[in-house]
Amino acid sequence: MQMHRFGFHPGRIHHIFISHLHGDHVFGLFGLLSSMGMSGRKAPVNLYGPPKMQEVMGQHLKFFGPLPFELRFQAPGDPDKVIFEDSKVTVTPIPLKHRVPAFGYLFREKEKELNVIKEKITSLGLGIADLVRIKRGEDHVCADGKVIPNSKLTLPPYRRRSYAYLSDTLYDPSLVRYVKDVDLLFHEATFSERDEKLAVQTMHSTSVQAAMLARDARAGKLLIGHFSTRYRDPELLEREARTIFPETDGVKDGNTYSIPLVRISRE
Ligand SMILES: [Zn+2]
């Protein structure tokens, strides 16, 4: 329902990454899958998440009846092992510390092909085979044996963009190594700084802890959310985080962010 409200079509979803099996993180999945079924979906859905997820889903389907499409399950393995990859991105799991097994995910863009400078195509009479090699990063050898370096033939490459999702977790500074230099970091911030004790007890993080992780990882931007309903003014958590990491936004369901494409300077 929420997805439709935000103008996002569930038919386009093929892969779903689940962090852990707490109600606020999985109950919505059942509704989503069943509405996909009712809209006549046939394509399989790939679910990634804790090993028990398959069992939970199995129980659910036993009671409510099967879905008209296949569900494929995959549990995260080693943190540095890619769990999903296509032509554009890789996804790797990040081990979190929570009351039940929990995983974050790092989405990293793959390197794009280089763009060849248009004038060079005509001035050097480049053919398809030449272009394929140059786009891969090779230098060009002219008919007379002269070598033209790749950097003179192509525009500077794009920086690979990345996004990490960390929820739910106890503050864990050792996570920095998984999210170093990430462009966009979502980190849960269930509690205010003043309720740090509660955060530790329930294995959640505070706004300031999320900001410390973003600062130490040198993230481009921090998104915080998963706020406890005890705070009447959720902007309090945003303000607290900004004292440590100014590039912080508090987020709500339906907010979208895009990471700009930037070319790497060759100078
Ligand atoms: Zn939880």
Side-chain angles (χ1 to χ4, degrees):
M1 290 306 282
Q2 286 279 74
M3 294 219 176
H4 283 294
R5 196 170 306 149
F6 300 132
F8 195 79
H9 198 283
R12 293 178 54 204
I13 299 173
H14 298 281
H15 303 272
I16 302 174
F17 297 85
I18 299 290
S19 70
H20 65 292
L21 299 176
H22 277 160
D24 55 335
H25 291 257
V26 280
F27 285 170
L29 180 61
F30 304 120
L32 174 63
L33 294 173
S34 104
S35 76
M36 281 172 161
M38 284 190 284
S39 67
R41 184 190 177 101
K42 294 277 173 285
V45 172
N46 298 276
L47 294 175
Y48 307 84
K52 278 225 174 237
M53 187 169 64
Q54 189 164 2
E55 189 186 320
V56 171
M57 197 52 81
Q59 289 295 333
H60 186 84
L61 296 179
K62 216 192 266 173
F63 187 83
F64 290 102
L67 292 163
F69 53 87
E70 188 192 351
L71 281 182
R72 296 175 182 161
F73 295 92
Q74 199 182 327
D78 294 336
D80 293 316
K81 224 167 115 197
V82 168
I83 187 171
F84 167 77
E85 127 169 72
D86 66 7
S87 61
K88 294 200 173 76
V89 292
T90 59
V91 184
T92 42
I94 299 172
L96 303 178
K97 291 196 169 101
H98 198 42
R99 304 193 300 280
V100 293
F103 302 90
Y105 296 97
L106 172 67
F107 301 80
R108 188 178 287 284
E109 198 169 31
K110 286 185 172 175
E111 214 152 315
K112 292 188 198 309
E113 277 193 332
L114 293 163
N115 297 129
V116 182
I117 300 167
K118 282 208 178 73
E119 297 82 80
K120 299 287 179 188
I121 302 176
T122 39
S123 67
L124 294 167
L126 301 172
I128 302 276
D130 300 322
L131 292 175
V132 169
R133 282 194 292 269
I134 296 167
K135 279 168 184 269
R136 278 201 304 249
E138 292 177 30
D139 296 338
H140 179 64
V141 185
C142 303
D144 62 0
K146 194 177 152 206
V147 177
I148 303 178
N150 189 277
S151 59
K152 294 272 181 278
L153 300 168
T154 56
L155 295 170
Y158 287 113
R159 226 168 52 76
R160 290 162 63 199
R161 295 173 294 180
S162 55
Y163 166 65
Y165 174 86
L166 305 179
S167 183
D168 299 350
T169 188
L170 187 69
Y171 171 55
D172 178 5
S174 76
L175 294 180
V176 164
R177 86 165 181 93
Y178 300 110
V179 294
K180 197 101 199 113
D181 299 318
V182 73
D183 292 305
L184 190 61
L185 172 67
F186 176 89
H187 194 296
E188 69 126 298
T190 310
F191 294 104
S192 152
E193 188 185 11
R194 61 172 185 247
D195 293 320
E196 195 181 324
K197 269 199 193 132
L198 257 179
V200 173
Q201 274 166 26
T202 56
M203 300 191 84
H204 281 292
S205 302
T206 69
S207 53
V208 165
Q209 290 171 332
M212 289 194 294
L213 198 90
R215 177 197 63 197
D216 297 345
R218 302 195 319 164
K221 188 175 185 69
L222 171 66
L223 306 178
I224 53 171
H226 199 271
F227 304 139
S228 162
T229 50
R230 76 187 57 228
Y231 305 111
R232 277 207 214 119
D233 170 23
E235 280 172 24
L236 161 78
L237 303 179
E238 192 181 68
R239 285 196 300 274
E240 286 177 350
R242 282 182 180 167
T243 61
I244 305 288
F245 192 77
E247 271 303 309
T248 302
D249 275 4
V251 293
K252 287 196 287 282
D253 285 353
N255 288 157
T256 55
Y257 284 83
S258 50
I259 307 169
L261 259 179
V262 180
R263 290 190 189 273
I264 298 166
S265 164
R266 274 173 174 160
E267 264 115 65

